[in-house]
Amino acid sequence: MIKRIPISALKVGMYITDLNNDWIPHNTQRKKGIIKREETIEKIRRMGVQYVYIDVSRGADCQDSEPAAEVDRRNETALQNAGALKPGYTPRAPLAEEIVIAQRVHSQAQNLVGSFMNNVKIGGAIDVAPIHQLADELQNSVLRNANALSCLGRIREKDNYLLEHSVNLSVLMSLFGSYRKLAADILHQTIVGALLHDLGKILTPDEILHKPGRLTAEEFEVMKLHARHSRDILASTEGIGEIAVITAAQHHEKLDGSGYPEGLKGEEITEYGRMVAITDVYDAITSDRVYHKGMTPTQGLKKLLEWSGDHLDPVLVKQFIRCIGLYPVGSLVLLESGRLGVVVETNDADQRLPVVRVMYHTRFRLPITVETIDLSRPGNQDRIVRAVDPEDYKLDIRKFLI
């Protein structure tokens, strides 16, 4: 049986199945195995890990353990409660119309951020005007219909993670900031900060930045410097506002002080830093990378809830969940009819009833004719049972998003 235990209860002789630290970027540490030395426990503790998962059938148990199924049930309840918060916004444009614009903006964003980073790397002239224009275009697309850019954010290639992550983070911050009704100038700056938050990685050696295997402790310390580099580069760039600099600088800070580059705690982290920390973790843990298989969107949301309080702001986490939906765009869901559908549009009025694109029948284990269904439409009797993992059915949901 898999159980969760507090780090204080971890002992030699226990078998770890999950270090529960996917919130750590570039998390390439070995996650499973028997604990043989006290030094290993201390190393895990220094990471800022609060809870780990153990297999009591393969190692020692303790009285402080809790079945993983109970943890998941509690997270599911918290997820449903978060979805019941006040509604956010209503799309102004049809998805089919906005997706055409969003594809252009998304492609332009990747090219522009890549070009900007290359210019900085070679010491070329820095023109921030196109970045500001891009931030406005991203924001306008989100206001018209956020589902369009959200769909594109789920169609990703793990070998292009750096640029796609930067663009997707800006989309998430745009959606999050809009939901929280940030002032227009502040929202604009948080989007710019999100677009350029990983700019400091241009100073990270390629052999560390692109290493497919586990980073050594020394290599990880070098990798962590990128947040400070991002801050310093942006702070010295004319035309970049203070809030944009703060957003980029604080995207890896954590409430308990285990983050970096400054190890800030609680209210020492700005509102924008706490927001971007949530969006950064969510996008990272739900993305496929060379060394990391991404979680499903729903699994990612539950992890945000689990890490709330210790690492992430619990109030902001619940607001973030409300603004992207119980079943975020790109989620694969099982319907009562036995069909599987990928969520292509959320429903802010009732998050249990999004628009889904069905393509597979679980009872027959066969593909079916692709059909788009609005679960909120009068007369529709189908309902979502739960979110599922595409891997369980060998489905590539990217093929059905647009």
Side-chain angles (χ1 to χ4, degrees):
M1 175 185 284
I2 306 299
K3 294 184 175 183
R4 192 182 78 158
I5 63 169
I7 188 66
S8 58
L10 186 60
K11 306 293 183 186
V12 171
M14 291 181 172
Y15 187 94
I16 290 183
T17 60
D18 184 359
L19 283 174
N20 196 32
N21 65 344
D22 288 294
W23 44 267
I24 298 178
H26 316 287
N27 180 25
T28 57
Q29 298 96 341
R30 185 165 174 261
K31 293 186 176 183
K32 298 183 179 182
I34 195 82
I35 295 292
K36 298 179 180 179
R37 298 183 299 275
E38 290 289 344
E39 292 83 355
T40 303
I41 298 175
E42 182 56 31
K43 184 184 295 185
I44 296 171
R45 187 178 289 112
R46 285 199 302 269
M47 294 177 193
V49 173
Q50 301 294 329
Y51 293 89
V52 298
Y53 287 84
I54 62 173
D55 187 342
V56 298
S57 69
R58 304 177 72 175
D61 195 356
C62 71
Q63 62 179 7
D64 293 330
S65 62
E66 179 182 18
E70 287 296 326
V71 177
D72 187 67
R73 274 194 287 272
R74 189 166 60 250
N75 288 336
E76 178 63 33
T77 298
L79 182 63
Q80 295 296 326
N81 290 339
L85 295 175
K86 66 178 182 178
Y89 86 112
T90 301
R92 303 172 184 173
L95 178 62
E97 176 183 307
E98 187 58 34
I99 198 73
V100 177
I101 301 172
Q103 284 177 307
R104 174 186 59 79
V105 174
H106 193 269
S107 177
Q108 176 190 347
Q110 289 192 55
N111 292 334
L112 184 57
V113 173
S115 175
F116 190 91
M117 295 177 79
N118 286 334
N119 270 351
V120 174
K121 189 171 186 177
I122 64 176
I126 301 175
D127 182 6
V128 299
I131 292 291
H132 286 299
Q133 182 179 346
L134 173 62
D136 287 338
E137 291 194 46
L138 286 167
Q139 173 65 7
N140 289 335
S141 180
V142 165
L143 289 175
R144 287 190 297 267
N145 193 324
N147 296 292
L149 280 170
S150 296
C151 279
L152 297 175
R154 299 304 304 168
I155 305 173
R156 308 167 65 140
E157 298 296 334
K158 60 186 178 184
D159 293 332
N160 195 32
Y161 174 80
L162 182 59
L163 293 180
E164 291 184 335
H165 173 60
S166 295
V167 175
N168 208 37
L169 193 63
S170 67
V171 173
L172 291 173
M173 282 298 286
S174 175
L175 184 57
F176 197 9
S178 297
Y179 175 80
R180 301 195 67 242
K181 295 181 169 54
L182 296 183
D185 177 61
I186 292 176
L187 176 56
H188 175 88
Q189 288 195 56
T190 62
I191 297 170
V192 170
L195 275 169
L196 302 177
H197 77 289
D198 271 344
L199 181 61
K201 286 184 177 177
I202 63 173
L203 299 178
T204 303
D206 284 345
E207 61 269 22
I208 294 178
L209 185 62
H210 301 298
K211 184 178 180 179
R214 220 180 304 167
L215 295 181
T216 65
E218 294 76 17
E219 289 170 335
F220 186 52
E221 289 303 312
V222 173
M223 179 68 81
K224 287 164 64 175
L225 292 173
H226 81 271
R228 181 171 283 118
H229 294 324
S230 292
R231 179 197 65 196
D232 294 345
I233 294 170
L234 292 177
S236 62
T237 301
E238 187 176 352
I240 297 292
E242 181 183 1
I243 290 174
V245 176
I246 290 172
T247 301
Q250 296 184 354
H251 72 279
H252 284 312
E253 299 287 0
K254 298 293 180 285
L255 292 185
D256 62 357
S258 65
Y260 58 87
E262 303 301 333
L264 302 177
K265 292 184 178 181
E267 295 298 320
E268 294 175 348
I269 308 171
T270 66
E271 172 188 1
Y272 320 113
R274 282 177 276 140
M275 288 174 64
V276 75
I278 292 167
T279 55
D280 182 72
V281 168
Y282 174 75
D283 190 64
I285 63 178
T286 56
S287 302
D288 288 341
R289 303 173 71 171
V290 174
Y291 53 81
H292 173 268
K293 174 63 182 172
M295 302 178 187
T296 67
T298 299
Q299 288 170 334
L301 294 181
K302 289 181 180 180
K303 279 299 179 184
L304 293 185
L305 289 163
E306 185 172 348
W307 297 329
S308 292
D310 296 320
H311 304 299
L312 305 172
D313 186 306
V315 173
L316 290 178
V317 163
K318 291 173 184 175
Q319 292 178 0
F320 176 69
I321 290 170
R322 183 60 180 87
C323 82
I324 68 169
L326 290 177
Y327 305 105
V329 170
S331 301
L332 186 67
V333 294
L334 172 66
L335 303 179
E336 291 176 347
S337 62
R339 294 178 295 180
L340 293 180
V342 61
V343 175
V344 293
E345 290 191 77
T346 56
N347 177 357
D348 202 66
D350 189 339
Q351 297 199 340
R352 300 166 300 174
L353 303 173
V355 177
V356 300
R357 193 160 287 146
V358 296
M359 81 299 283
Y360 189 88
H361 207 297
T362 57
R363 293 174 192 161
F364 307 113
R365 299 194 74 84
L366 288 172
I368 57 176
T369 301
V370 177
E371 181 184 0
T372 301
I373 302 172
D374 184 346
L375 296 179
S376 68
R377 183 166 297 170
N380 176 69
Q381 299 299 312
D382 226 344
R383 292 291 184 270
I384 293 176
V385 177
R386 64 178 181 275
V388 296
D389 192 335
E391 286 286 311
D392 293 342
Y393 299 92
K394 308 301 180 190
L395 291 174
D396 183 355
I397 58 96
R398 295 176 299 179
K399 298 178 180 178
F400 306 100
L401 281 168
I402 58 175

